[in-house]
Amino acid sequence: MNKTVLITGATSGIGLACARKFAANGDRLILTGRDQQRLDDIQKELADKGTEVTTLAFDIRDREKAGQCIGNLPEEWQRIDVLVNNAGLALGLEPEYEGDINDWETMIDTNIKGLLTMTRLIVPGMVERDCGHVINIGSVAGDAAYAGGNVYCATKAAVKALTDGLRIDVAHSAVRVTNLKPGLVETNFSNVRFHGDKARAANVYLGIKPLTGNDIADVAVYAANAPAHVQIAEVLILATHQASGSVIIRK
């Protein structure tokens, strides 16, 4: 049966890849992001291929606006079967004692509080219907800190703990909860982390074939379409020559 899938941070990277993969699977989509024009372009792209899409433009850090957007969805869009909590970012790679406090707040407000906001808004309906699936995009960075990763790693460790906690909290229902933990994925991620320094961002992927957004989206679609009695709780997805968050063999 086709599902209604809500994807946060859907205008680029893993979020956009998830939108395209779930569309190809025959699902209909609610896409969120901050850039309405970009959302409109993606909506047209997918609609031209026969996918039903609605868009919501808001910053995941704005709890009030998020609540308004979800609350004002037309009745036919209110049953959300799959929530992909994808919106997130890393900023900076400085030692913790030299970090930018504004960067810290942005990461915490986006990666942790934004995820919590969407979970709080959508999961009660899933529990009431006794059906649904939450897919959180975590990171290998949540397993162990790496040099300069400090606060970003902490936010992704929080994603793991929040995902595990939610899975416990909904275990009495048929709602499933998944944590996907990518390693090196070549998206706009590093360009954002280094505040637009494209040369520095490119160096992250030198000497290794990184994952793509499509690789992660493939796993998300698989998890969402596993048999009802199967819960893909957690998946660590690494490039072949990446062994952990800090062990990368470059050739």
Side-chain angles (χ1 to χ4, degrees):
M1 187 178 79
N2 293 346
K3 301 179 178 68
T4 298
V5 181
L6 189 152
I7 303 168
T8 66
T11 57
S12 65
I14 294 171
L16 177 55
C18 283
R20 288 169 173 159
K21 290 285 185 176
F22 276 105
N25 190 59
D27 299 314
R28 65 179 194 158
L29 307 175
I30 302 171
L31 305 181
T32 87
R34 291 176 294 174
D35 185 338
Q36 183 66 67
Q37 183 57 58
R38 183 74 181 126
L39 287 169
D40 290 344
D41 292 342
I42 297 166
Q43 181 178 33
K44 183 178 186 307
E45 171 199 331
L46 298 177
D48 286 347
K49 297 177 181 178
T51 300
E52 194 175 358
V53 181
T54 193
T55 65
L56 302 173
F58 62 90
D59 189 323
I60 199 76
R61 296 173 294 174
D62 188 338
R63 186 182 307 156
E64 184 176 348
K65 183 67 179 293
Q68 289 173 353
C69 287
I70 298 300
N72 290 331
L73 279 169
E75 184 177 351
E76 64 270 21
W77 285 97
Q78 288 179 6
R79 181 189 170 107
I80 296 167
D81 301 298
V82 180
L83 167 62
V84 181
N85 274 319
N86 164 75
L89 77 169
L91 292 170
L93 201 63
E94 297 81 17
E96 191 170 324
Y97 60 88
E98 295 178 348
D100 185 318
I101 293 175
N102 291 323
D103 285 351
W104 296 351
E105 289 184 342
T106 299
M107 286 186 281
I108 292 167
D109 288 348
T110 304
N111 301 357
I112 301 176
K113 293 181 180 179
L115 178 146
L116 281 169
T117 293
M118 298 306 295
T119 300
R120 184 65 182 84
L121 289 170
I122 292 168
V123 173
M126 293 180 173
V127 173
E128 182 180 354
R129 295 189 299 271
D130 197 31
C131 181
H133 197 154
V134 178
I135 300 175
N136 290 334
I137 305 299
S139 172
V140 63
D143 289 347
Y146 57 77
N150 44 77
V151 174
Y152 174 69
C153 294
T155 67
K156 289 304 184 178
V159 170
K160 174 176 170 51
L162 292 170
T163 307
D164 291 345
L166 179 63
R167 192 181 304 111
I168 293 166
D169 290 339
V170 300
H172 65 285
S173 75
V175 177
R176 301 184 293 184
V177 184
T178 299
N179 184 21
L180 300 186
K181 305 190 300 185
L184 277 179
V185 184
E186 189 167 13
T187 63
N188 199 43
F189 177 87
S190 290
N191 192 42
V192 171
R193 163 168 256 171
F194 299 126
H195 299 281
D197 187 336
K198 294 183 179 180
R200 190 178 179 192
N203 285 336
V204 173
Y205 309 108
L206 284 179
I208 186 171
K209 184 172 183 179
L211 302 167
T212 68
N214 285 334
D215 297 324
I216 312 308
D218 282 337
V219 183
V221 172
Y222 173 79
N225 289 278
H229 70 288
V230 177
Q231 180 169 215
I232 308 299
E234 185 171 283
V235 184
L236 176 64
I237 311 144
L238 301 176
T240 298
H241 294 294
Q242 179 177 16
S244 69
S246 58
V247 178
I248 300 168
I249 306 302
R250 302 179 188 274
K251 298 184 177 181

